[in-house]
Structure formats: structure tokens, C-alpha cells
Amino acid sequence: MLHSAINAFVLLFLINRINVSLATEPVCSKFDYEEKLLEKMIRQEIKVETMESEIVKTQDSVLNTLNEIKKKVADINDRFEDLRNNITEEMIAKTKDLEKKEELFKNLFEELRTNFTSDTDRQEFFKNLFDELRTNFTNDIENQRNALTDLKEEIASPSVAFYAHHVTDLVLDVTHEIIVFDTIITKEGSGYDTSTGIFTAPVGGLYQFTVHVCALTETYSVVGLSLAGKVVAAAINYDRDHYICSSVGAVVRMNSGEQIWVKCTSGSSTYRLYQDNYRMNTFSGILLNK
């Protein structure tokens, strides 16, 4: 009996300790952690969806740009093909026309020679007539051939042109220093180097060049166009009260590989060019013909 009472007392004591321990134990944080983790995952998923949306937009923009480029290239190819076909058809038509005329006169001459061999006067008359017609026809054929040759050369002649602006160094303190126009606006074929400011003729021919420069008030700008070291055009700008701009140009014949550039013809620490959004320094050139 006493033993049972002791056991019961011990059991009650342990139950009481467990309850006290449970009462002082902090609230379990497992669910709170899972809730925060879920919230973080949702935010990450939203960010990922946003990134995917931006990537899709970028891809669409790139694809649209590529499609536009493809369309423009296809249009250029179609125009070139049409031009080439038209020129080819014109040349074939002219050649056939010449062949018909030549055959016609040959047949006429044979007929005249056959019919009038027994009549000296008529034979001489028609002989002279035929000689005149043959001379005129020969000249006509030669003119047509020259025209076709010129047309072939025009087709084969390369397109060379450039238009550059924005001077790298505006100070004109060194005589003979090359002025570099470092930004290209128009470029057809090869020739102009934006790193050196020098144009090298890719083919020989007749070229036209133009230089346009601006200066600050009360400041000189002294420039020249130099072909293989020889100045072929020059200009001086100065105004006491206003910004001033001027142009100078030249038409020159260049051999393949010859060079031309813009340079400072007289250097001084007070000489300089000027450029802004309203005043541009430019250098341009174009092949007129070979």
C-alpha cells in the first residue's frame, strides 16, 4: 500500500514537471519558417516571370529588326536584279538590231550586184550608193558599239563616296598636322580612314572633294586640302564678333592608291576649330568617273 502511494506521488510529480516544461517552452517556429520560405519563393517566381517577359520582348524586338533588315536586303537585291536585267535586255536588243541592219544591207548589195552586172552605168551608180550606205552603216555600228562599251564600263565602275564629320582635335597648333574627321555619315565603297583622316583612292578617276570648317569668334582656322602633299585648295576663317564657317573644295584626278587629306596649313596655339550641334566640320568626297 505504501509502495503504491509512493509510485503515485512520483508519477504526479513527473506529470507536473512535464507540464511546467511545456508551459515554458517557446512557440514552435516551424510553420513561421515555412510561411516565410513560401513567401520568398513566390517573390522569386514573380521576378523570374518578369525576367522571362522581358526576354521574350527583347527576342521579339531582335526578330522584328532582323526581319526588317532581311526585307531591306531583299528589296535592294530585287532592285539590282531588275536594273541588271533591263540593261542586259537593252544591250541584247541593240545587238540584234545591228545584226538585222547588217544582214539587210548584205542582202541588198547581193541583189543589186546580181541584177546590174550587165549595165555599167547602173552598176556604177548602185556601187557608189552602196559604198555610201556601207560607210554610214559602218559609222552607225561603230557608234553603237562605243555606246555599249561605255555602258559596260559604267556598270563595271565602282561606287566610291564618303561623308565624315566631327574633328578629333580642334586645336590647330601644328603646321601640316592632318585634321581627322572621325565619324562617318556616308560610306560607299572603301577609301576614307576615320583613324588617320586620309582618303586613299581605291581606283583611279576624277574625284570631287569638299571641306567645311567653323571657327570661334576672334579665332583663326587655317586649313587646306592636300593631295599627295601638295595643297590643292585652302581657306582661312576669322570674325571678330561671330562664329564663322566656310567651305572649300576641289575636283582632281587621282591614280589608284594616291592619298588626299585635310591639314592645318599654319599652326598656332590660338588657332582652333569649333563644332557643336549647329555647326559641323565635315570632309566629303565622291568618284565622278573613271
Side-chain angles (χ1 to χ4, degrees):
M1 182 69 177
L2 178 60
H3 181 70
S4 296
I6 292 172
N7 289 335
F9 177 76
V10 171
L11 180 61
L12 289 173
F13 176 74
L14 292 174
I15 291 172
N16 184 59
R17 288 292 303 274
I18 291 172
N19 289 334
V20 172
S21 176
L22 290 174
T24 60
E25 183 77 9
V27 178
C28 181
S29 60
K30 177 180 179 182
F31 296 106
D32 182 58
Y33 168 75
E34 291 179 349
E35 182 180 2
K36 291 181 178 180
L37 180 60
L38 179 60
E39 181 181 354
K40 184 177 181 180
M41 292 176 65
I42 292 174
R43 287 198 301 269
Q44 291 294 333
E45 185 175 354
I46 293 173
K47 289 182 180 179
V48 171
E49 290 178 351
T50 303
M51 291 175 64
E52 289 179 348
S53 177
E54 292 297 328
I55 290 173
V56 170
K57 290 180 181 179
T58 302
Q59 289 177 341
D60 291 341
S61 176
V62 171
L63 290 175
N64 291 335
T65 302
L66 289 175
N67 289 332
E68 290 179 1
I69 292 174
K70 289 180 179 178
K71 290 180 180 178
K72 289 182 179 180
V73 170
D75 183 57
I76 292 173
N77 289 335
D78 291 341
R79 292 181 180 180
F80 176 76
E81 189 66 25
D82 291 340
L83 177 61
R84 185 174 63 181
N85 291 338
N86 292 337
I87 293 175
T88 302
E89 291 174 359
E90 182 180 354
M91 292 173 63
I92 293 174
K94 288 185 177 181
T95 302
K96 289 182 177 179
D97 183 55
L98 291 175
E99 291 175 350
K100 288 181 179 179
K101 288 181 178 179
E102 186 175 7
E103 185 66 25
L104 176 64
F105 281 105
K106 283 182 177 179
N107 294 336
L108 177 61
F109 175 71
E110 288 296 326
E111 182 179 353
L112 291 174
R113 187 176 61 178
T114 301
N115 293 334
F116 297 100
T117 52
S118 58
D119 192 326
T120 305
D121 293 337
R122 290 184 180 182
Q123 185 177 1
E124 184 68 21
F125 170 78
F126 284 109
K127 179 180 180 298
N128 294 335
L129 177 62
F130 175 76
D131 289 339
E132 182 181 354
L133 292 175
R134 183 175 59 182
T135 300
N136 294 336
F137 177 69
T138 301
N139 293 335
D140 187 30
I141 290 178
E142 188 64 26
N143 292 334
Q144 292 289 346
R145 286 176 177 171
N146 291 335
L148 290 175
T149 300
D150 293 340
L151 185 59
K152 289 179 181 178
E153 291 179 353
E154 183 178 349
I155 296 172
S157 178
S159 176
V160 180
F162 73 94
Y163 178 47
H165 76 108
H166 190 270
V167 173
T168 305
D169 184 6
L170 297 173
V171 179
L172 304 175
D173 56 350
V174 180
T175 302
H176 302 308
E177 183 177 32
I178 296 176
I179 300 172
V180 179
F181 299 80
D182 57 23
T183 303
I184 281 289
I185 297 177
T186 301
K187 184 178 182 182
E188 290 288 336
S190 60
Y192 183 72
D193 189 341
T194 55
S195 63
T196 63
I198 297 175
F199 174 80
T200 304
V203 294
L206 192 65
Y207 288 83
Q208 179 178 353
F209 297 95
T210 303
V211 182
H212 182 80
V213 291
C214 301
L216 286 166
T217 57
E218 297 185 337
T219 304
Y220 284 95
S221 66
V222 186
V223 301
L225 189 62
S226 179
L227 172 61
K230 180 181 178 181
V231 174
V232 294
I236 298 177
N237 282 340
Y238 177 82
D239 194 283
R240 188 178 65 180
D241 302 316
H242 303 91
Y243 297 126
I244 185 171
C245 299
S246 67
S247 298
V248 64
V251 176
V252 296
R253 181 164 293 279
M254 299 180 67
N255 297 322
S256 177
E258 276 194 307
Q259 296 181 327
I260 192 168
W261 59 87
V262 182
K263 72 174 185 178
C264 170
T265 56
S266 179
S268 172
S269 59
T270 61
Y271 294 175
R272 64 183 294 116
L273 299 175
Y274 179 76
Q275 61 192 6
D276 58 20
N277 293 332
Y278 306 101
R279 300 168 184 85
M280 296 175 63
N281 298 303
T282 63
F283 179 30
S284 62
I286 185 170
L287 172 65
L288 299 177
N289 58 62
K290 295 180 66 176

